[in-house]
Amino acid sequence: MRIGIAFDLKSDFAPTAGGPEDRLEEYDSEETVAAIAQALAALGHQPVRLGGGRRFVEAVLRAAPELVFNIAEGHGTRSREAHVPAVCEMLGIPVTHSDPLTLALSLDKAMAKRVAAAQGVPTPRYSVVEDEAALDAIDLRFPVVAKPLAEGSSMGVRLHSRAATPEALRALVRPLLQGYAQPVLVEEFCAGPEFTVGVLGTGRDARPIGVMEIVPRRTDPEHFLYSLEVKRNYAEEVEYHVPPRRPEAVVRGVAEVALAAHRALGCRDVCRVDVRMDAHGVPMFLELNPLPGINPVTGDIVILATRSGLPYQDLIGAIVREALARHGRAAP
Ligand SMILES: Nc1ncnc2c1ncn2[C@@H]1O[C@H](COP(=O)(O)OP(=O)(O)OP(=O)(O)O)[C@@H](O)[C@H]1O
Ligand SMILES: [Mg+2]
């Protein structure tokens, strides 16, 4: 089967003066695209590189693939992740991963939390701060965490992004509002252990691939954040436990919250859900990633899938199979 790959590389974007140092953090590397292409070829498909943005639109019309494997993060707005699947939908081309509605919704963390909470999924209390004045009206229990409303890959999240007082919060929020040109999500801090859950499938058929606990090596767990510095230096900063070294009932509870969030947001095919326990041991939904980073070495979902008995090629194959099954087709 001819499968187009939609992607945005860090190198597609010209370096600009100013802007936050992590502004390209979400974009992919050539290594990731090459690994996907190689896995698709090994599964008997013909991979075609389509790229992202305007280049994608031209390439998809020219190549007319039978399926698009989408990892394109898009550019510019909070709906950016919806661009590629919206074009595919318009052209009637099947596409892997979630649809435009889910991708746009989940990038905005407050929107995602509202929808998840409406379905009974526990998630920390929060406030959306559009300007500094809004901080005066904040009615949350400290400590809190402050992060850009619609980013991923821990953009704007550092080890110091936890604030214990209103004054510390103000000092955190100011540079975020200036640097990331979007509102800031202020959320009650969950001081318990942190997990990320890989999910395969759609709706009722969705099931966990595995649960991974992220265990800090150098930071006291109660103050830990799986921040930008930690993700860039994960080999030294954290240990990954798959499965977590926790009682089975605890792991099941985490997986249930992840599955409930995946279903509440209408995710399709694959997704990675972040769950953290609060101080009372209640697993809370933080956010989910319907386009989880899929670098063959560093991708969290790849690490957890591999350690759960689903190596890279099988993970790519499973995503393709899920997408085709939604279209009533079996993978050739
Ligand atoms: N309410 C919270 N309580 C405790 N820790 C939090 C909270 N919100 C965020 N964090 C910490 O900050 C990290 C990054 O936050 P979050 O997952 O929201 O960002 P992201 O950039 O979307 O992540 P990803 O790399 O998964 O796309 C979390 O993994 C967690 O360690
Ligand atoms: Mg996250």
Side-chain angles (χ1 to χ4, degrees):
M1 176 175 275
R2 203 166 57 256
I3 302 185
I5 310 173
F7 56 87
D8 291 299
L9 298 182
K10 286 189 174 67
S11 56
D12 291 339
F13 299 93
T16 52
E21 172 263 335
D22 57 9
R23 70 178 189 93
L24 298 180
E25 204 68 21
E26 280 275 80
Y27 296 117
D28 283 293
S29 64
E30 172 55 34
E31 183 192 15
T32 302
V33 179
I36 295 168
Q38 198 178 22
L40 290 173
L43 290 161
H45 301 296
Q46 291 164 261
V48 185
R49 291 169 189 234
L50 305 173
R54 189 174 285 269
R55 192 152 53 95
F56 165 80
V57 176
E58 288 162 3
V60 79
L61 288 170
R62 209 170 38 240
E66 293 159 87
L67 174 72
V68 169
F69 191 101
N70 176 34
I71 61 161
E73 296 286 339
H75 182 63
T77 68
R78 68 177 179 174
S79 303
R80 60 188 177 268
E81 290 188 3
H83 293 169
V84 159
V87 169
C88 292
E89 211 175 84
M90 188 174 68
L91 297 175
I93 301 172
V95 56
T96 63
H97 298 67
S98 293
D99 74 349
L101 175 63
T102 294
L103 288 169
L105 180 67
S106 1
L107 194 61
D108 183 314
K109 291 183 170 134
M111 292 280 191
K113 284 160 66 69
R114 276 178 213 132
V115 172
Q119 295 293 308
V121 181
T123 186
R125 294 176 61 225
Y126 70 98
S127 192
V128 176
V129 171
E130 304 216 4
D131 51 38
E132 264 193 69
L135 287 173
D136 299 332
I138 273 205
D139 176 27
L140 297 173
R141 189 189 306 222
F142 284 74
V144 294
V145 58
K147 50 193 182 185
L149 182 64
E151 298 294 351
S153 302
S154 282
M155 280 174 65
V157 182
R158 301 291 190 279
L159 273 172
H160 66 258
S161 297
R162 175 184 172 282
T165 63
E167 296 70 42
L169 177 61
R170 193 170 293 272
L172 271 182
V173 165
R174 196 174 297 140
L176 288 177
L177 284 172
Q178 282 166 3
Y180 293 86
Q182 62 188 288
V184 172
L185 180 69
V186 178
E187 202 175 50
E188 290 187 355
F189 188 79
C190 297
E194 169 149 2
F195 306 88
T196 195
V197 184
V199 179
L200 264 184
T202 303
R204 243 183 323 197
D205 291 336
R207 68 264 174 208
I209 301 171
V211 178
M212 176 160 97
E213 181 172 349
I214 296 130
V215 182
R217 282 184 204 260
R218 306 205 226 209
T219 318
D220 141 34
E222 282 185 22
H223 293 88
F224 175 71
L225 282 107
Y226 194 22
S227 60
L228 189 81
E229 312 92 302
V230 174
K231 286 179 185 170
R232 284 181 176 173
N233 188 26
Y234 68 99
E236 286 172 34
E237 295 284 349
V238 288
E239 279 178 15
Y240 295 127
H241 294 179
V242 187
R245 298 172 191 167
R246 306 266 171 196
E248 216 182 296
V250 168
V251 178
R252 204 175 324 119
V254 168
E256 275 166 13
V257 167
L259 272 183
H262 176 94
R263 291 182 178 129
L265 288 162
C267 295
R268 304 194 316 199
D269 302 343
V270 68
C271 166
R272 190 175 57 72
V273 188
D274 290 343
V275 176
R276 189 160 178 175
M277 281 181 178
D278 68 9
H280 309 289
V282 179
M284 300 288 234
F285 164 64
L286 293 185
E287 57 106 23
L288 59 70
N289 303 282
L291 292 179
I294 204 155
N295 179 282
V297 179
T298 61
D300 281 345
I301 197 164
V302 176
I303 296 171
L304 82 83
T306 306
R307 297 194 194 175
S308 305
L310 191 70
Y312 195 74
Q313 188 177 311
D314 295 352
L315 175 63
I316 301 295
I319 297 169
V320 168
R321 221 171 22 251
E322 290 295 336
L324 292 177
R326 283 190 289 104
H327 290 87
R329 296 181 57 177

